[in-house]
Amino acid sequence: MKFGIVVNEGPYQHQASDSAYLFAKAAIAGGHEVWRVFFYHDGVNNASKLTEPPQDDRHIVNRWAKLAEEHKVDLVVCVAAALRRGIKEENLAQGFRISGLGQLVEAGIKCDRLVTFGD
């Protein structure tokens, strides 16, 4: 099965990002494909390379980037939501790209399931 994932919450303020990441890992381990993860609303904060959690904490941004690199997952950040929060191309972490809502619509069309995490 081909999955698309939408993340609507920031990485350290809500469980949504952790849950979405663990869902993606489990889906891939189960033989499914995660075709695209779309970061929307405060979820765009998952893509900031300025994130510096303490060493004993999980680095959610790096986890997403590693997942994208290892499994060719397309990590898309909503341009309008990103600009509202001061996130631009120059401060995107590796593996993420900025695009528009058309990428979310495309995920809804091309994937078998589109799963949303966060409010």
Side-chain angles (χ1 to χ4, degrees), residues 51-102:
T51 304
E52 292 185 33
Q55 289 183 340
D56 60 343
D57 196 358
R58 69 214 185 286
H59 198 304
I60 295 174
V61 176
N62 286 352
R63 291 194 320 190
W64 282 118
K66 185 176 178 185
L67 184 79
E69 181 181 345
E70 291 178 352
H71 301 286
K72 308 295 183 224
V73 178
D74 187 22
L75 303 179
V76 178
V77 178
C78 174
V79 63
L83 291 175
R84 284 187 186 109
R85 290 157 180 85
I87 296 176
K88 300 178 180 180
E89 289 281 348
E90 59 263 24
N91 55 15
L92 275 183
Q94 188 172 0
F96 293 85
R97 66 183 179 101
I98 288 182
S99 192
L101 286 173

